[in-house]
Amino acid sequence: MTNYTDFSSDKIDIFMLLIDNSGSMRYQKKDVKKGLELFKKSFEDFPEANSIAISKSTFNSEVHLGEFQPIIEFDTSYKVEGFTALHYSIVEASKHLRDYVKKITKKTGVIPKVTFILFSDGFPENDRCSESEGRKAIEQLNCSGATTVFIAFGDAITSDFGKRLGFSSTIDVVDRSIVTNFLGVELSKSCKEQSMSLKPLGENFFSKANVHSSSYGYSQTAEQALEDDSWINDI
């Protein structure tokens, strides 16, 4: 598999979704996978889908960088193990993203709208990079015009950690039971808003997210989609 470069539009949106898959996520493993499947499905009839490339990358004791692919080929696999090399993953993933953006810009002559999203449920553990290195990597992305997004999941870490690193948009998702709905509906909604916007949403990336009300259960749309098992088997 190689990075996707065959854009036919002069409007390009690049997303990098970096997800914590350390051992502390073990009880949410199935729910995260369902959320990623729902996220992918939500873009099937989205008018801007052909202009979107996305990398789903994960991190634990190591960082596992996914290639950038069309959103309709989004990788929904998910397994958990290891510790939380959070700063190291930021450094490596941001480099992977910046290299891809340079390649796309050189080939197409288009400056893409770029979004870097990090989802974590814990503080760095057995990390080989320092906080200052992680902060510098986020600063480089911010300076390049990218929207940097930090999602604090669970109650072990808060959005303040992301703010300290300089992420332009942060959010707390404390209730672990809503992870499927958050990934499949709320995150999808914000990504779509970003792709349709003429300029990066920046700190307003989650301005229309309805996370807290979702904590009482899946939205009706999410529930209906998840009850229909046939689409999961087709992925």
Side-chain angles (χ1 to χ4, degrees):
M1 184 182 293
T2 57
N3 285 322
Y4 178 71
T5 61
D6 296 328
F7 292 97
S8 57
S9 171
D10 60 359
K11 179 183 179 300
I12 300 174
D13 276 278
I14 296 173
F15 290 87
M16 183 165 208
L17 180 55
L18 181 61
I19 304 178
D20 186 341
N21 70 332
S22 61
S24 58
M25 291 292 296
R26 61 190 178 278
Y27 298 116
Q28 281 71 49
K29 179 180 176 180
K30 291 183 179 179
D31 291 337
V32 170
K33 181 168 175 53
K34 286 181 181 178
L36 295 177
E37 289 165 345
L38 187 58
F39 179 90
K40 178 180 181 179
K41 182 175 175 60
S42 73
F43 284 90
E44 286 183 355
D45 298 316
F46 184 56
E48 309 289 330
N50 291 333
S51 67
I52 297 174
I54 186 168
S55 164
K56 193 225 62 190
S57 299
T58 58
F59 69 97
N60 42 55
S61 301
E62 300 289 340
V63 58
H64 312 276
L65 300 172
E67 299 295 343
F68 288 88
Q69 297 297 316
I71 190 72
I72 59 172
E73 298 177 21
F74 181 67
D75 175 17
T76 62
S77 62
Y78 186 74
K79 61 180 181 179
V80 298
E81 60 182 349
F83 298 101
T84 312
L86 201 156
H87 294 126
Y88 175 68
S89 73
I90 291 175
V91 170
E92 293 299 309
S94 64
K95 182 178 183 301
H96 184 55
L97 173 58
R98 286 184 282 111
D99 287 346
Y100 177 64
V101 171
K102 288 178 183 177
K103 182 177 181 179
I104 292 302
T105 302
K106 182 177 180 179
K107 179 174 181 179
T108 66
V110 175
I111 298 176
K113 193 150 75 271
V114 179
T115 311
F116 177 81
I117 305 168
L118 191 150
F119 177 103
S120 182
D121 79 331
F123 288 97
E125 185 179 12
N126 288 14
D127 204 335
R128 69 189 72 178
C129 284
S130 65
E131 181 175 318
S132 62
E133 289 174 297
R135 189 185 301 111
K136 182 178 179 180
I138 295 302
E139 182 181 6
Q140 288 177 317
L141 289 174
N142 289 337
C143 289
S144 71
T147 295
T148 52
V149 179
F150 184 84
I151 302 165
F153 180 60
D155 56 7
I157 190 171
T158 71
S159 58
D160 287 341
F161 182 85
K163 292 174 183 175
R164 192 168 74 233
L165 289 180
F167 281 82
S168 56
S169 177
T170 63
I171 193 170
D172 290 299
V173 184
V174 178
D175 188 349
R176 286 178 175 264
S177 71
I178 70 167
V179 65
T180 297
N181 190 72
F182 178 79
L183 292 173
V185 179
E186 305 300 350
L187 181 60
S188 167
K189 188 186 303 180
S190 293
C191 288
K192 288 177 179 178
E193 290 287 342
Q194 175 82 314
S195 67
M196 291 187 293
S197 176
L198 295 177
K199 61 181 181 179
L201 296 178
E203 63 182 6
N204 296 315
F205 184 77
F206 282 118
S207 63
K208 297 184 179 180
N210 193 22
V211 177
H212 297 294
S213 64
S214 299
S215 64
Y216 296 102
Y218 299 133
S219 70
Q220 186 176 7
T221 302
E223 188 172 5
Q224 289 174 346
L226 290 171
E227 286 177 351
D228 180 8
D229 293 336
S230 61
W231 67 265
I232 296 178
N233 296 327
D234 291 336
I235 294 176

